[in-house]
Amino acid sequence: MNLDQFLGFFLGYIAGSIPFGLLLAKAGGMGDIRNIGSGNIGATNVLRTGSKKLAAATLLLDLAKGLVPVLLAKALFEQPATVPSAYIGPVPLAALGAVLGHCFPVWLGFKGGKGVATNLGVSIGLAWQIGLAYALVWLAVAYLSRISSLAGMCAVIAAAVAAAALAFAGYVPALAVIAALVLWLHRANIARLLRGEEPRIGQGK
């Protein structure tokens, strides 16, 4: 890993590790979000506090901490005009770092969220087409199933598939790793889905 690659990854990780859900819930007088619902610091669990405004703010900020470092990496570091499949540069590493930071923030003992909103920001930052595919799949699956976790898992897979299909081959490795990570973090959700016990949007844990 050269210096540019390290800096791209580090930039993404530091931005991604900011625990906005935890900070907003405490600022809103909701206490420690890790003691509520699933214990997750993401927007879905913040919604369980009953505050739609805090949940929406968490969603937007978690999205931003994926989007901003990727855009900064694009501005700070040179990359090929067309991204080849062998390219593992600072931009996709910033994307990977942002999601890893959200999921494993150093400030919280490496126990964070599941990366769905942050990966939306990352996908938009890499290419708007990838972000659009991500958002459309999330909305379609959420509308049809009313299950947030299922929508998130389908969306992260869609981002990697869209990158491959739309000739952004250089982003596929990072997005594939992110997808695998998000699926692993949702393993309890997958088990509940298989048992037919996963809560639908608007229900509790």
Side-chain angles (χ1 to χ4, degrees):
M1 179 179 288
N2 62 34
L3 181 59
D4 283 357
Q5 290 172 317
F6 172 78
L7 290 175
F9 180 83
F10 182 75
L11 172 66
Y13 180 82
I14 291 300
S17 66
I18 302 172
F20 285 117
L22 178 67
L23 297 174
L24 289 174
K26 286 188 174 181
M30 302 298 179
D32 192 332
I33 191 64
R34 293 171 294 180
N35 297 325
I36 298 172
S38 66
N40 193 275
I41 63 170
T44 299
N45 200 42
V46 174
L47 184 60
R48 295 189 177 104
T49 67
S51 175
K52 293 181 179 180
K53 290 182 179 180
L54 284 179
T58 300
L59 177 65
L60 291 175
L61 288 170
D62 281 352
L63 186 156
K65 70 184 186 182
L67 173 64
V68 171
V70 171
L71 294 181
L72 282 176
K74 282 187 171 183
L76 293 173
F77 306 107
E78 292 185 8
Q79 63 174 344
T82 57
V83 183
S85 59
Y87 175 71
I88 306 295
V91 173
L93 285 172
L96 179 59
V99 177
L100 286 174
H102 176 75
C103 297
F104 306 106
V106 63
W107 326 111
L108 303 180
F110 303 102
K111 296 179 180 178
K114 295 182 178 178
V116 174
T118 302
N119 195 33
L120 172 57
V122 157
S123 298
I124 296 170
L126 291 175
W128 68 264
Q129 299 96 323
I130 299 174
L132 180 62
Y134 188 108
L136 289 176
V137 169
W138 192 97
L139 289 170
V141 176
Y143 177 78
L144 293 172
S145 70
R146 308 300 297 172
I147 300 176
S148 177
S149 62
L150 181 60
M153 288 186 284
C154 290
V156 296
I157 294 170
V161 172
L166 298 171
F168 295 105
Y171 298 149
V172 173
L175 290 171
V177 170
I178 290 170
L181 171 63
V182 171
L183 291 176
W184 181 77
L185 291 172
H186 281 80
R187 59 196 183 279
N189 303 83
I190 293 171
R192 288 194 294 270
L193 282 167
L194 292 174
R195 297 194 302 266
E197 298 174 356
E198 183 72 345
R200 297 181 181 272
I201 295 172
Q203 294 179 339
K205 181 182 175 184

